[in-house]
Amino acid sequence: ETGVTQTPRHLVMGMTNKKSLKCEQHLGHNAMYWYKQSAKKPLELMFVYNFKEQTENNSVPSRFSPECPNSSHLFLHLHTLQPEDSALYLCASSQISYNEQFFGPGTRLTVL
Amino acid sequence: EDQVTQSPEALRLQEGESSSLNCSYTVSGLRGLFWYRQDPGKGPEFLFTLYSAGEEKEKERLKATLTKKESFLHITAPKPEDSATYLCAVQAGGTSGSRLTFGEGTQLTVNP
């Protein structure tokens, strides 16, 4: 595997389900990010982790729960989501001393 | 608050017809301006970083330029494979981590 990978690529869930999104980066970076991309809206930053520590939570509802066990892996745990949470969820990584972020392919989430 | 506005929202070109995409920004102390390309159903792909007014960077048919208020992505003699959404993002100085503020993007279609 190279770059940033995300699984699953597609996810359909009901409002009462619990699911998790997984991200893994193979770039040796030390910062990881979750973004939400909705149609006709700019990418919205959700969470930032530097060296496994959460450094930013952009006022994200508690039904989204991130987890970063190490600098290579990032999870987004989902529970009791709403239909408006349907979107493309993107993971990215970067080297803290550099600015460029590299993105994974995303998980297309549909909440019924 | 940092803001990024991209224009036009959509651009349709004939193969070989050169044009430019615009990214206007307001930010408290620019640390970097980034251009990404995003294909449908995929994550953004990093293209360029620009750091100071007057800077230019090129890659194949693309050239990015930067002034104190805007950036342009010039596309010379485009080909159908250049069709994608082009995203602009800025990072402010003193920003924690590597927070990027994205524009809504310009959807480029190049017809053969």
Side-chain angles (χ1 to χ4, degrees):
Chain A
E1 296 280 17
T2 60
V4 180
T5 58
Q6 290 186 243
T7 54
R9 294 294 312 277
H10 300 272
L11 179 63
V12 179
M13 58 187 290
M15 290 192 287
T16 58
N17 292 157
K18 289 185 179 181
K19 296 286 185 183
S20 295
L21 310 185
K22 178 183 175 182
C23 174
E24 183 173 2
Q25 60 94 2
H26 309 268
L27 300 169
H29 290 163
N30 44 35
M32 296 188 77
Y33 314 80
W34 279 117
Y35 285 87
K36 175 183 179 182
Q37 188 175 35
S38 304
K40 303 296 183 184
K41 294 179 68 176
L43 269 75
E44 300 173 56
L45 179 66
M46 300 175 72
F47 302 103
V48 180
Y49 279 83
N50 293 327
F51 295 108
K52 305 189 303 178
E53 299 299 319
Q54 186 180 129
T55 56
E56 192 155 351
N57 176 337
N58 199 24
S59 302
V60 180
S62 59
R63 57 186 182 269
F64 295 90
S65 175
E67 177 189 1
C68 188
N70 54 60
S71 292
S72 298
H73 293 86
L74 185 64
F75 295 89
L76 188 63
H77 304 298
L78 315 172
H79 63 98
T80 59
L81 295 190
Q82 305 298 313
E84 59 264 30
D85 296 322
S86 298
L88 182 67
Y89 288 85
L90 292 161
C91 173
S93 71
S94 72
Q95 198 70 5
I96 290 177
S97 54
Y98 296 91
N99 301 323
E100 295 85 359
Q101 295 181 18
F102 295 86
F103 286 82
T107 295
R108 172 66 63 186
L109 174 67
T110 302
V111 182
L112 301 177
Chain B
E1 184 180 333
D2 304 335
Q3 286 192 323
V4 177
T5 302
Q6 292 188 243
S7 61
E9 287 187 18
L11 180 62
R12 190 176 294 270
L13 301 173
Q14 289 298 121
E15 185 171 1
E17 179 186 1
S18 301
S19 188
S20 297
L21 312 182
N22 177 264
C23 171
S24 297
Y25 64 90
T26 55
V27 64
S28 53
L30 182 70
R31 186 171 173 182
L33 183 140
F34 307 86
W35 282 99
Y36 287 84
R37 168 195 170 125
Q38 186 173 24
D39 293 299
K42 296 187 177 181
E45 174 190 346
F46 171 74
L47 293 174
F48 304 109
T49 307
L50 301 168
Y51 293 103
S52 57
E55 188 175 1
E56 298 182 354
K57 288 194 176 173
E58 287 188 66
K59 179 180 180 180
E60 297 181 357
R61 294 176 293 282
L62 301 177
K63 184 168 81 171
T65 62
L66 181 65
T67 72
K68 289 187 177 180
K69 293 185 177 181
E70 57 191 350
S71 177
F72 292 94
L73 184 65
H74 306 278
I75 304 177
T76 302
K79 298 182 177 181
E81 53 262 42
D82 294 322
S83 298
T85 296
Y86 290 85
L87 303 173
C88 173
V90 297
Q91 184 183 25
T95 305
S96 64
S98 296
R99 168 186 270 274
L100 299 181
T101 300
F102 281 84
E104 294 187 22
T106 293
Q107 186 174 359
L108 174 67
T109 303
V110 182
N111 296 314

